Amino acid sequence: MNGMDRPGMDRPGKGRLLGLGVGPGDPELITLKALRLLKSAPVVGYFVAKAKANVGQGGNAFGIIEAHLEDSQQRLPLVYPVTTEKLEPPLTYEGVISDFYDTCAVQIAEHLDAGRDVAVICEGDPFFYGSYMYLHDRLAERYEAEVIPGVCSMLGSAAVLGVPLVYRNQSLSVLSGVLPEDELRERLRNAEAAVVMKLGRNFEKVRRVLQALGLHDRAHYVERATMANQRIVPLDEVEPMASPYFSMIVVPGEKWRG
């Protein structure tokens, strides 16, 4: 609950949990409010892949806000334990990631209990496929939490592609490329407009579905929208195994000229 007390919540002397959406990649797309709260936070938490952390990098979201931080602000890297490597049974990706969020919540709670506000930055919007939401679920019942929305990757992609998403009374479907092919086909078949996220290794499956449904010509592909290394590529020219995590397909609604 954004900054509002819940019954029975003990807050005297506790720090605030701040979930800050910092936008899709362009540093100028952070909101004024997120920037103000970021600069005032004594502790700044950020998610980073293990590979980047091992070489001293801070990840995409951290790169957006790094120039705004003061030396006095404590950095709190939240390092993902796994990405795509195969895990030996009985370990599962879901179990390892759940344990990771549990550990992160404990680390953040130590600062909150000491009276220090913690700003956790999140690329895009914290509540739109944002990693912050898993910390919010674990901590917001015990601490004051405020969430600042951000420009999400879906809207950044539509803007750089120059395509309106939906007209008038059209509905928009936001889909994950991880869905099984049959399910993805059925959802796209009934969609007036759609955004397909989480492509990566799922790209060829998604492209195959779009071709089967006759949506290929309406579909637009973009990588790392609004970032310095943004690429807009015709769907036919995308190398299936080279599609990065930060890529998206936008199928805009049929044009209505009014």
Side-chain angles (χ1 to χ4, degrees), residues 224-238:
R224 305 181 181 91
T226 81
M227 302 181 194
N229 53 350
Q230 166 188 302
R231 291 179 69 229
I232 297 174
V233 185
L235 208 60
D236 288 336
E237 298 178 16
V238 178

PDB file of all heavy atoms in Angstrom, residues 224-238:
ATOM      1  N   ARG A 224      16.074  -3.621 -27.025  1.00  0.00           N
ATOM      2  CA  ARG A 224      16.597  -2.611 -26.094  1.00  0.00           C
ATOM      3  C   ARG A 224      16.026  -1.220 -26.400  1.00  0.00           C
ATOM      4  O   ARG A 224      16.756  -0.234 -26.549  1.00  0.00           O
ATOM      5  CB  ARG A 224      18.117  -2.591 -26.134  1.00  0.00           C
ATOM      6  CG  ARG A 224      18.757  -3.961 -25.853  1.00  0.00           C
ATOM      7  CD  ARG A 224      20.278  -3.876 -25.891  1.00  0.00           C
ATOM      8  NE  ARG A 224      20.874  -5.169 -25.647  1.00  0.00           N
ATOM      9  CZ  ARG A 224      21.195  -6.054 -26.589  1.00  0.00           C
ATOM     10  NH1 ARG A 224      20.952  -5.765 -27.869  1.00  0.00           N
ATOM     11  NH2 ARG A 224      21.748  -7.205 -26.280  1.00  0.00           N
ATOM     12  N   ALA A 225      14.720  -1.142 -26.484  1.00  0.00           N
ATOM     13  CA  ALA A 225      14.053   0.118 -26.835  1.00  0.00           C
ATOM     14  C   ALA A 225      14.446   1.235 -25.886  1.00  0.00           C
ATOM     15  O   ALA A 225      14.454   1.055 -24.664  1.00  0.00           O
ATOM     16  CB  ALA A 225      12.541  -0.066 -26.821  1.00  0.00           C
ATOM     17  N   THR A 226      14.768   2.382 -26.426  1.00  0.00           N
ATOM     18  CA  THR A 226      15.181   3.640 -25.783  1.00  0.00           C
ATOM     19  C   THR A 226      16.610   3.604 -25.235  1.00  0.00           C
ATOM     20  O   THR A 226      17.113   4.625 -24.774  1.00  0.00           O
ATOM     21  CB  THR A 226      14.231   4.097 -24.638  1.00  0.00           C
ATOM     22  OG1 THR A 226      14.531   3.401 -23.425  1.00  0.00           O
ATOM     23  CG2 THR A 226      12.768   3.934 -25.001  1.00  0.00           C
ATOM     24  N   MET A 227      17.273   2.461 -25.278  1.00  0.00           N
ATOM     25  CA  MET A 227      18.651   2.396 -24.795  1.00  0.00           C
ATOM     26  C   MET A 227      19.611   2.863 -25.886  1.00  0.00           C
ATOM     27  O   MET A 227      19.244   2.981 -27.064  1.00  0.00           O
ATOM     28  CB  MET A 227      19.013   0.962 -24.375  1.00  0.00           C
ATOM     29  CG  MET A 227      18.129   0.376 -23.298  1.00  0.00           C
ATOM     30  SD  MET A 227      18.649  -1.300 -22.844  1.00  0.00           S
ATOM     31  CE  MET A 227      17.192  -1.852 -21.917  1.00  0.00           C
ATOM     32  N   ALA A 228      20.855   3.096 -25.501  1.00  0.00           N
ATOM     33  CA  ALA A 228      21.847   3.582 -26.463  1.00  0.00           C
ATOM     34  C   ALA A 228      22.086   2.566 -27.581  1.00  0.00           C
ATOM     35  O   ALA A 228      22.393   2.938 -28.713  1.00  0.00           O
ATOM     36  CB  ALA A 228      23.154   3.902 -25.742  1.00  0.00           C
ATOM     37  N   ASN A 229      21.958   1.278 -27.273  1.00  0.00           N
ATOM     38  CA  ASN A 229      22.195   0.225 -28.268  1.00  0.00           C
ATOM     39  C   ASN A 229      20.896  -0.352 -28.830  1.00  0.00           C
ATOM     40  O   ASN A 229      20.829  -1.513 -29.228  1.00  0.00           O
ATOM     41  CB  ASN A 229      23.052  -0.891 -27.680  1.00  0.00           C
ATOM     42  CG  ASN A 229      22.478  -1.442 -26.378  1.00  0.00           C
ATOM     43  OD1 ASN A 229      21.540  -0.882 -25.814  1.00  0.00           O
ATOM     44  ND2 ASN A 229      23.040  -2.534 -25.900  1.00  0.00           N
ATOM     45  N   GLN A 230      19.870   0.472 -28.900  1.00  0.00           N
ATOM     46  CA  GLN A 230      18.572   0.079 -29.459  1.00  0.00           C
ATOM     47  C   GLN A 230      18.716  -0.377 -30.911  1.00  0.00           C
ATOM     48  O   GLN A 230      19.488   0.192 -31.687  1.00  0.00           O
ATOM     49  CB  GLN A 230      17.629   1.273 -29.378  1.00  0.00           C
ATOM     50  CG  GLN A 230      16.353   1.156 -30.194  1.00  0.00           C
ATOM     51  CD  GLN A 230      15.578   2.445 -30.206  1.00  0.00           C
ATOM     52  OE1 GLN A 230      15.200   2.957 -29.164  1.00  0.00           O
ATOM     53  NE2 GLN A 230      15.355   3.015 -31.392  1.00  0.00           N
ATOM     54  N   ARG A 231      17.947  -1.402 -31.299  1.00  0.00           N
ATOM     55  CA  ARG A 231      17.907  -1.865 -32.689  1.00  0.00           C
ATOM     56  C   ARG A 231      16.473  -2.174 -33.084  1.00  0.00           C
ATOM     57  O   ARG A 231      15.760  -2.848 -32.355  1.00  0.00           O
ATOM     58  CB  ARG A 231      18.742  -3.141 -32.888  1.00  0.00           C
ATOM     59  CG  ARG A 231      20.231  -2.967 -32.772  1.00  0.00           C
ATOM     60  CD  ARG A 231      20.926  -4.316 -32.979  1.00  0.00           C
ATOM     61  NE  ARG A 231      20.817  -4.778 -34.356  1.00  0.00           N
ATOM     62  CZ  ARG A 231      20.423  -6.010 -34.725  1.00  0.00           C
ATOM     63  NH1 ARG A 231      20.036  -6.885 -33.807  1.00  0.00           N
ATOM     64  NH2 ARG A 231      20.382  -6.361 -35.992  1.00  0.00           N
ATOM     65  N   ILE A 232      16.061  -1.657 -34.230  1.00  0.00           N
ATOM     66  CA  ILE A 232      14.774  -2.007 -34.824  1.00  0.00           C
ATOM     67  C   ILE A 232      15.074  -2.827 -36.072  1.00  0.00           C
ATOM     68  O   ILE A 232      15.765  -2.355 -36.976  1.00  0.00           O
ATOM     69  CB  ILE A 232      13.959  -0.750 -35.167  1.00  0.00           C
ATOM     70  CG1 ILE A 232      13.640   0.038 -33.883  1.00  0.00           C
ATOM     71  CG2 ILE A 232      12.670  -1.128 -35.892  1.00  0.00           C
ATOM     72  CD1 ILE A 232      12.963   1.373 -34.139  1.00  0.00           C
ATOM     73  N   VAL A 233      14.573  -4.067 -36.098  1.00  0.00           N
ATOM     74  CA  VAL A 233      14.936  -5.007 -37.149  1.00  0.00           C
ATOM     75  C   VAL A 233      13.666  -5.593 -37.759  1.00  0.00           C
ATOM     76  O   VAL A 233      12.735  -5.949 -37.028  1.00  0.00           O
ATOM     77  CB  VAL A 233      15.803  -6.156 -36.569  1.00  0.00           C
ATOM     78  CG1 VAL A 233      16.300  -7.078 -37.681  1.00  0.00           C
ATOM     79  CG2 VAL A 233      16.976  -5.609 -35.775  1.00  0.00           C
ATOM     80  N   PRO A 234      13.601  -5.698 -39.092  1.00  0.00           N
ATOM     81  CA  PRO A 234      12.456  -6.388 -39.698  1.00  0.00           C
ATOM     82  C   PRO A 234      12.350  -7.805 -39.141  1.00  0.00           C
ATOM     83  O   PRO A 234      13.361  -8.483 -38.931  1.00  0.00           O
ATOM     84  CB  PRO A 234      12.789  -6.393 -41.197  1.00  0.00           C
ATOM     85  CG  PRO A 234      13.704  -5.212 -41.374  1.00  0.00           C
ATOM     86  CD  PRO A 234      14.515  -5.146 -40.116  1.00  0.00           C
ATOM     87  N   LEU A 235      11.134  -8.254 -38.936  1.00  0.00           N
ATOM     88  CA  LEU A 235      10.916  -9.549 -38.299  1.00  0.00           C
ATOM     89  C   LEU A 235      11.621 -10.676 -39.047  1.00  0.00           C
ATOM     90  O   LEU A 235      12.163 -11.601 -38.430  1.00  0.00           O
ATOM     91  CB  LEU A 235       9.406  -9.826 -38.223  1.00  0.00           C
ATOM     92  CG  LEU A 235       8.915 -10.709 -37.088  1.00  0.00           C
ATOM     93  CD1 LEU A 235       9.261 -10.118 -35.733  1.00  0.00           C
ATOM     94  CD2 LEU A 235       7.415 -10.939 -37.200  1.00  0.00           C
ATOM     95  N   ASP A 236      11.634 -10.619 -40.365  1.00  0.00           N
ATOM     96  CA  ASP A 236      12.252 -11.678 -41.161  1.00  0.00           C
ATOM     97  C   ASP A 236      13.760 -11.732 -40.992  1.00  0.00           C
ATOM     98  O   ASP A 236      14.377 -12.767 -41.286  1.00  0.00           O
ATOM     99  CB  ASP A 236      11.934 -11.480 -42.654  1.00  0.00           C
ATOM    100  CG  ASP A 236      10.481 -11.785 -42.976  1.00  0.00           C
ATOM    101  OD1 ASP A 236       9.854 -12.546 -42.217  1.00  0.00           O
ATOM    102  OD2 ASP A 236       9.975 -11.249 -43.983  1.00  0.00           O
ATOM    103  N   GLU A 237      14.361 -10.642 -40.552  1.00  0.00           N
ATOM    104  CA  GLU A 237      15.820 -10.567 -40.491  1.00  0.00           C
ATOM    105  C   GLU A 237      16.398 -10.846 -39.103  1.00  0.00           C
ATOM    106  O   GLU A 237      17.603 -10.796 -38.908  1.00  0.00           O
ATOM    107  CB  GLU A 237      16.284  -9.187 -40.970  1.00  0.00           C
ATOM    108  CG  GLU A 237      15.905  -8.898 -42.417  1.00  0.00           C
ATOM    109  CD  GLU A 237      16.323  -7.506 -42.865  1.00  0.00           C
ATOM    110  OE1 GLU A 237      17.170  -6.892 -42.169  1.00  0.00           O
ATOM    111  OE2 GLU A 237      15.805  -7.037 -43.897  1.00  0.00           O
ATOM    112  N   VAL A 238      15.531 -11.138 -38.137  1.00  0.00           N
ATOM    113  CA  VAL A 238      16.009 -11.395 -36.780  1.00  0.00           C
ATOM    114  C   VAL A 238      16.619 -12.787 -36.709  1.00  0.00           C
ATOM    115  O   VAL A 238      16.013 -13.768 -37.131  1.00  0.00           O
ATOM    116  CB  VAL A 238      14.858 -11.277 -35.764  1.00  0.00           C
ATOM    117  CG1 VAL A 238      15.361 -11.584 -34.356  1.00  0.00           C
ATOM    118  CG2 VAL A 238      14.249  -9.881 -35.815  1.00  0.00           C
TER     119      VAL A 238
END
